Amino acid sequence: MLLAYILLVLAVAGTLSSWTFLVLALAGTAKFHRDAKAQRRQAQSIPNEALPPVSLLKPVHGMESRLRENIESFFHLDYPDYEILFAADLEDNQALGVVREICARYPQVPTQIVVTGRPPWPNPPAYAFFRMAERARNNILVTSDSDVLVDPSYLRDIVPPLLDPKNGMLTCVYRGKNAGGFWSGVHAIGMSVEMTAGVVTANMLEGMKFGLGPTIVVRRDALEKIGGFSVLGDYFANDFVIGNLIEKNGYNVVLSRHIIDHVVSPLSFVRVWQHEVRWAKSTRLSRPWGHLFSGLIYAMPFGILGFASALALGRIWLGIALLALAIANRVIESWAIGWGITRDRASRSLWLYPLRDLLGFFVWCASYLGTPRAIWRNVPYDLTSDGRIALRGGQPQSQTPK
């Protein structure tokens, strides 16, 4: 009985903390929409001839789901002057065939292909960005992943805030786009809702002090002030580090109103689990206190715990109320964030995000288990206490898809 009462108290406390976070996330959502209106007015006030030329930096890592569609979307941008640079480790990378075919069909868009060789740094994308930045001819650099799909308005939306020299970097939240499979869909809605809720809440409470990997826009002067892409070579979460360093050097990091699609390849439960635990461990090392308290934002585990402990105490209606509050919490967050911001149709489901919430909690728990290690692009890494990575046993880089 004593244990049941302790668990019930824990469940009630967790329910209160998850609703507190939801209120903060809704306030962050309101701020996001206010900022979006201001960004839209600014973008509309700038004529095309005043827009600076842009260099898009895009590493490729082999054949991925919808790779052709993703890459081709960058050739349809409604922007007056931009170039695209692609980078691969080796010449025989399968993605380069797709890249060359698309480049040949759009000769009006200036392109370059950089074959970097095996990266000497633990973080391969950071090395690819470093090599492409050396060849880029413009001072506005846009880094994006190969699994990103964009609208024609992409550059027209994300570049204008960087016309203000106080803004050194911009990043975008993203919508998970499921390319097929149940667990891929669970993973995707985590991007649309869970990730976005955390980002807009952080932006409201302390401002943006990090980046989000699918799109980062940086002014070259801000990049050079932190030491260039080379300072990211030893870090796992290079998107977090670049934003953190730019903010510490006196620049603003802007959260864009533009929403991009992050395509999620068909994944098994094991692959989803490995991927999410890997990133959770990295977040724990990069932001230890923030990650620790993020365990209080989940609702479904506390709702289920409350239902079970109340049932054991003969308080069935209290248990039903706690479980109902948890489900309502997640449905409200899914609609307000997943539909209200990212416009993900899957977020309107009444059961998908509650299930995702349970998975997220178990991933959070797993991030504290075992040694801080990870498998990235089929290569084993050790994670250090300051967020750096090192190849385990000095093994070479893999050329397989990420």
Side-chain angles (χ1 to χ4, degrees), residues 226-246:
I226 68 170
F229 286 115
S230 60
V231 302
L232 311 177
D234 292 330
Y235 289 94
F236 187 79
N238 55 290
D239 50 356
F240 168 81
V241 174
I242 188 172
N244 195 251
L245 291 176
I246 285 177

Side-chain angles (χ1 to χ4, degrees), residues 67 77 84 88 140 160 217 253 259 293-294 316 322 331 335 356 364 390 393:
L67 178 67
L77 301 180
I84 310 176
I140 300 293
V217 190
V253 177
I259 311 298
F293 287 109
S294 69
I316 186 170
L322 289 171
V331 170
W335 274 75
R356 160 68 221 180
W364 176 82

